[in-house]
Amino acid sequence: MMVQDRDEQSAGVQKRLSDILPELKIRAREADRTAIFPFETMQILAQCGVLDLVLPRSQGGAECDLATAQALIGTIAQADPVAALVLVNHYMVHAELRSLPSYPVPLQGREVIAGKLINALLAEPDQGSASRGGLPGTVAQKTAQGWRLTGRKAYVTGIPVLSWLLVRARTESPEPEICFFLLPQQASGMTVLSTWDHVGMRASASHEVTLTDVFVPNDHLIFREKAGQVSHFGKVLAMWNQGLLGALYDGIVRTAVGWTENFLKERKPSNLGASLATLPAMQNVIGEIRIALDLNQIILRSFAEAVAFKDQDRIQKEAVLVKIQTVDGAAGLTQSLLAIAGNAGLSARNDLERCHRDALCGRIHAPHAELLRTKAGRQALGV
């Protein structure tokens, strides 16, 4: 597939998305209210071709770049942040897989992977985020026929609709290895625990999953390396994760500020005799947030460019900016909007309240801001 064909395919998907966004937004409100996963929304997105854009050309995909994926995620996030979050995980895993010397055998063939969702099972209840280091508690035991996996994974976003799982585990050997396995979602011995009850991203079904003696064929082991050394797997995944999460939380703030602007224009208190939008204090807050959103776009574009050119120095520096400014900063921006919207902003029937709760989740995504600030401080101080 030529670059022009890829761009045309991406443009076609964006056009179809623009036609259905109002419907997706209505569905997102109801899914948040009930905390029920948006099955129909994911089906609609699959029919639009959204799931396959990131797949390699060899599997019938458009093999889109990070910048294209960011645009899609940002658009979808303005209507349904939960659906966007599921796609963030899907895109980042496929970006990693297509960077391998050869595409994994279990996923080869369009009938196997087209229109199917995947996520990486990295975090664990005891270990927490894999970004903080340490061996996973999930154990891979070698057998004559393949492998057996036993362990427990946390925050498996979108588990009700996933077809494939990328599982991180360790071997039982005296010198353990870190391994990554591909599992079909229906693998025998896998159990979903309905543990997700967070304040934000309520419908994401980011539940825990237990693996009990789950059999994995040898060709489903796609990467292994000695524990404790610098990992060569997951770097692309991490870069796309940061870039896409930035687009997602930027999209959440855009919906929040859009609602607030309309509210300020329409609200005309009797003692004022004009709309709230005429007050300098309101204009100051909206202006500050619009400037922050412009800055988000500059940072996101620059980061996608750094990834495209494989500029590692820029990638490392700008990944921190994306996380601190765009992802973590979203909750502060929505909180500022709540301060000027008053009681209306906290009403569950309005977008701002939901956007703020979803924005709070940004600060929980790895890597945590504390780690990034500490690392930056150590480098500056030569510690």
Side-chain angles (χ1 to χ4, degrees):
M1 181 180 292
M2 302 296 290
V3 172
Q4 182 178 354
D5 295 333
R6 181 188 68 191
D7 292 343
E8 289 177 356
Q9 185 175 350
S10 301
V13 171
Q14 281 278 24
K15 174 61 173 64
R16 290 192 289 274
L17 275 177
S18 65
D19 295 335
I20 63 172
L21 285 179
E23 177 187 353
L24 297 189
K25 195 168 187 178
I26 293 172
R27 292 180 183 277
R29 290 171 181 150
E30 180 63 14
D32 177 77
R33 186 185 69 80
T34 61
I36 295 176
F37 187 83
F39 292 95
E40 291 185 58
T41 292
M42 298 312 302
Q43 291 175 352
I44 292 170
L45 291 174
Q47 292 166 0
C48 287
V50 172
L51 275 60
D52 297 342
L53 278 182
V54 75
L55 292 178
R57 300 183 187 95
S58 63
Q59 307 305 313
E63 202 167 315
C64 72
D65 59 9
L66 177 56
T68 302
Q70 282 177 329
L72 286 167
I73 293 297
T75 298
I76 295 169
Q78 292 180 56
D80 189 340
V82 165
L85 181 60
V86 173
L87 290 170
V88 166
N89 295 312
H90 175 73
Y91 285 177
M92 73 181 187
V93 172
H94 277 298
E96 180 68 42
L97 295 180
R98 77 188 195 197
S99 73
L100 297 174
S102 60
Y103 200 65
V105 171
L107 302 184
Q108 290 183 11
R110 183 162 176 77
E111 69 284 354
V112 177
I113 195 60
K116 307 292 177 60
L117 284 160
I118 190 170
N119 195 358
L121 279 61
L122 307 177
E124 297 183 351
D126 294 332
Q127 181 200 23
S129 168
S131 67
R132 290 188 177 270
L135 291 173
T138 302
V139 175
Q141 183 178 19
K142 189 72 180 77
T143 69
Q145 294 77 30
W147 298 82
R148 294 282 180 179
L149 299 186
T150 298
R152 184 164 174 165
K153 295 295 184 179
Y155 310 124
V156 187
T157 297
I159 186 62
V161 292
L162 299 180
S163 295
W164 289 94
L165 313 172
L166 178 64
V167 181
R168 181 174 181 261
R170 62 176 172 88
T171 62
E172 282 191 310
S173 55
E175 296 184 359
E177 294 179 301
I178 301 297
C179 301
F180 288 85
F181 299 89
L182 281 169
L183 271 67
Q185 198 268 4
Q186 300 298 327
S188 178
M190 193 184 76
T191 303
V192 177
L193 306 176
S194 298
T195 54
W196 182 252
D197 62 351
H198 281 40
V199 68
M201 299 291 184
R202 283 169 39 81
S204 67
S206 300
H207 300 309
E208 294 182 8
V209 170
T210 61
L211 307 169
T212 306
D213 203 29
V214 176
F215 173 71
V216 187
N218 283 316
D219 63 1
H220 285 50
L221 169 60
I222 63 169
F223 191 85
R224 62 194 298 184
E225 61 188 355
K226 288 184 179 180
Q229 66 183 31
V230 177
S231 178
H232 296 286
F233 185 89
K235 290 184 177 180
V236 173
L237 183 152
M239 289 187 294
W240 275 59
N241 177 259
Q242 287 297 89
L244 295 178
L245 284 177
L248 188 160
Y249 285 93
D250 176 81
I252 290 174
V253 177
R254 289 179 185 278
T255 295
V257 74
W259 178 89
T260 308
E261 288 168 354
N262 288 332
F263 170 76
L264 295 177
K265 293 173 185 177
E266 295 171 0
R267 187 65 177 268
K268 298 179 179 179
S270 58
N271 65 328
L272 182 61
S275 72
L276 291 175
T278 63
L279 296 176
M282 305 298 175
Q283 297 163 5
N284 179 69
V285 173
I286 295 299
E288 179 183 19
I289 291 171
R290 283 296 177 180
I291 291 170
L293 290 174
D294 288 343
L295 180 58
N296 283 352
Q297 287 303 300
I298 293 171
I299 294 173
L300 290 171
R301 282 197 297 268
S302 182
F303 181 71
E305 180 183 87
V307 171
F309 287 103
K310 300 180 180 180
D311 188 334
Q312 295 303 318
D313 287 340
R314 272 183 66 189
I315 289 170
Q316 290 183 18
K317 293 177 181 178
E318 294 182 12
V320 175
L321 297 180
V322 172
K323 171 61 175 170
I324 299 294
Q325 169 70 26
T326 308
V327 179
D328 289 9
L333 297 178
T334 54
Q335 186 171 354
S336 294
L337 293 171
L338 284 172
I340 62 174
N343 281 329
L346 288 173
S347 173
R349 66 178 177 271
N350 295 328
D351 287 336
L352 179 53
E353 182 267 350
R354 173 170 59 92
C355 288
H356 180 61
R357 287 188 288 103
D358 286 344
L360 289 172
C361 295
R363 295 176 176 176
I364 310 304
H365 290 294
H368 295 153
E370 166 215 346
L371 295 177
L372 298 176
R373 289 194 298 265
T374 300
K375 182 178 179 181
R378 291 178 60 151
Q379 289 176 340
L381 296 171
V383 178

